[in-house]
Amino acid sequence: MTVGPRRPLRATLIWAALGLALAVPLLAAAASPLLAWRGPVYIAAGFAGIVGLGFLLVQPLLMLRALPGLRGPRARHAHRAVGVALLVAVVLHVAGLWITSPPDVIDALTFTSPTPFSPWGVVAMWAVFATAAVAALRRRLPVRRWRLAHRALAVLIVTCSLVHALLIEGTMEPVSKAALGVLALVATLLAVRRA
Amino acid sequence: MTDVSFDRRRLLTAGGAFALAATTGGVLVPARARASGLAPTPTMRGGANNYRLGAPIVERIGGGGFWMRGTVRRAGDGAPLPGQRIQIWAHTTEGRERDWHSHGATLTDENGTFALEMPQIVPTFGQPHGHLAYDSGDYETVFLRPVMPSARDTSLEAHFVLQPA
């Protein structure tokens, strides 16, 4: 543990703040009246999206070494694990929506959807896949190129996901959705700016 | 699937007219079409999603409480078309779009208007919206997907201008 024993209160506060930022949107969505008229697969697909949005806040915080107890290699390992979890969340999100209404997902994936939020989500999805591919090739890439690619993709993912989420009229409560998305974007911009 | 690809082709040929019609609810018509009378309504993107062939004509869909209203007119002269079958479906408080019991059809009256009571539409796939189809064959098939300005609305309108097949 690298948490300074002199600052246990600060560590507790940081973790509590992160917990709130992640939990409030989830709890607010869990209280949505729309859930009453949705099947379990559709509900799970929606929540996979919300959890994915939460991961987008955790990722830059890990790389900013902002989370007490998770610094150095532990932060990097956690960042990698959360990255894999994000990939899983995206796949579950799209697969669950596909099961719920195949034609709507086909429209989205082919960029022929009538809903303005769909292309943003699809671009973010491909950017997540591209990030996984680039990460897999990391050792074969020059360090500078790897960093540039990873950071550019991170900004693309967070920006597109934020627009995607904000344009959706769904189970997420609007204020907690915007707050989580903006926090993720600000943290991401701070993280990529760091040399 | 054939219906869907057919619609997409139509959509592409409709081009800019589609965007204009979609944003104005079909009230405005492109200048080129105006010269030769009322332009036909193009199929909307996603309009045919979860369409089921041959839903029965019903008094109302489920328990009702929400009204889907609209008009059906002929392209060119704009004459109202009575007795036209319009199929309606949506994600409602009583079922998903693909559920059979979410689908029903009604006929236009002598003024070319229709109104079908159905359960309250609730947002699905990110927007509160309904689906309507003209698919009887005398005129070209049209699928519409109107979006409710507010999820609290208890009615929705959609208007068809049909072109002889």
Side-chain angles (χ1 to χ4, degrees):
Chain A
M1 292 283 278
T2 44
V3 186
R6 289 161 300 161
R7 297 163 123 186
L9 179 66
R10 185 167 174 270
T12 310
L13 284 177
I14 290 173
W15 278 106
L18 176 62
L20 272 181
L22 299 176
V24 170
L26 281 168
L27 292 173
S32 168
L34 295 183
L35 296 175
W37 307 299
R38 296 185 177 194
V41 174
Y42 189 12
I43 291 172
F47 275 88
I50 304 172
V51 169
L53 195 60
F55 288 154
L56 297 184
L57 172 59
V58 175
Q59 289 296 64
L61 293 180
L62 285 169
M63 293 326 282
L64 285 165
R65 307 292 190 259
L67 299 177
L70 288 174
R71 298 182 203 269
R74 293 185 67 177
R76 217 169 42 242
H77 290 149
H79 184 81
R80 212 171 291 162
V82 174
V84 173
L86 173 62
L87 184 66
V88 172
V90 169
V91 170
L92 291 178
H93 181 60
V94 177
L97 294 177
W98 182 295
I99 292 167
T100 303
S101 182
D104 285 310
V105 175
I106 292 168
D107 283 351
L109 295 177
T110 54
F111 294 99
T112 55
S113 170
T115 46
F117 54 82
S118 302
W120 296 93
V122 174
V123 169
M125 177 194 78
W126 283 114
V128 167
F129 293 167
T131 306
V134 172
L137 297 172
R138 179 178 181 177
R139 282 169 207 281
R140 288 201 236 158
L141 293 172
V143 175
R144 291 184 67 122
R145 192 167 295 175
W146 145 258
R147 279 194 184 153
L148 182 68
H150 190 77
R151 288 171 190 204
L153 284 166
V155 172
L156 184 65
I157 290 167
V158 176
T159 307
C160 289
S161 299
L162 175 58
V163 177
H164 175 67
L166 290 178
L167 291 175
I168 290 174
E169 186 169 356
T171 56
M172 286 193 86
E173 184 280 321
V175 175
S176 59
K177 172 166 65 176
L180 176 60
V182 169
L183 282 174
L185 184 61
V186 170
T188 303
L189 293 177
L190 287 174
V192 298
R193 224 177 49 129
R194 223 175 44 116
Chain B
M1 274 327 287
T2 32
D3 278 328
V4 174
S5 51
F6 167 75
D7 294 329
R8 292 223 177 99
R9 229 174 297 131
R10 267 177 58 92
L11 189 64
L12 288 172
T13 52
F18 162 74
L20 191 59
T23 50
T24 60
V27 178
L28 286 179
V29 291
R32 192 169 54 84
R34 206 179 291 141
S36 59
L38 196 59
T41 315
T43 278
M44 291 179 174
R45 280 187 175 202
N49 289 359
N50 296 312
Y51 164 70
R52 298 227 182 270
L53 185 68
I57 290 172
V58 292
E59 275 298 303
R60 66 165 191 268
I61 303 173
F66 183 98
W67 283 93
M68 183 72 87
R69 299 190 181 92
T71 58
V72 181
R73 288 179 295 164
R74 185 166 55 204
D77 62 4
L81 294 174
Q84 299 303 319
R85 181 183 169 283
I86 298 296
Q87 183 170 328
I88 295 163
W89 69 101
H91 181 85
T92 71
T93 52
E94 294 179 17
R96 300 174 302 169
E97 283 181 4
R98 65 209 279 191
D99 295 336
W100 257 110
H101 67 263
S102 297
H103 292 244
T106 189
L107 297 175
T108 57
D109 63 13
E110 65 276 13
N111 301 316
T113 68
F114 65 89
L116 184 62
E117 200 180 1
M118 59 190 290
Q120 176 68 40
I121 293 180
V122 289
T124 191
F125 273 75
Q127 287 181 332
H129 66 278
H131 292 267
L132 301 94
Y134 168 84
D135 59 351
S136 300
D138 296 337
Y139 298 85
E140 293 209 15
T141 299
V142 174
F143 291 100
L144 300 183
R145 184 190 176 280
V147 176
M148 287 151 65
S150 160
R152 292 199 195 91
D153 291 352
T154 55
S155 68
L156 183 58
E157 281 187 21
H159 302 280
F160 290 82
V161 176
L162 301 177
Q163 164 162 253

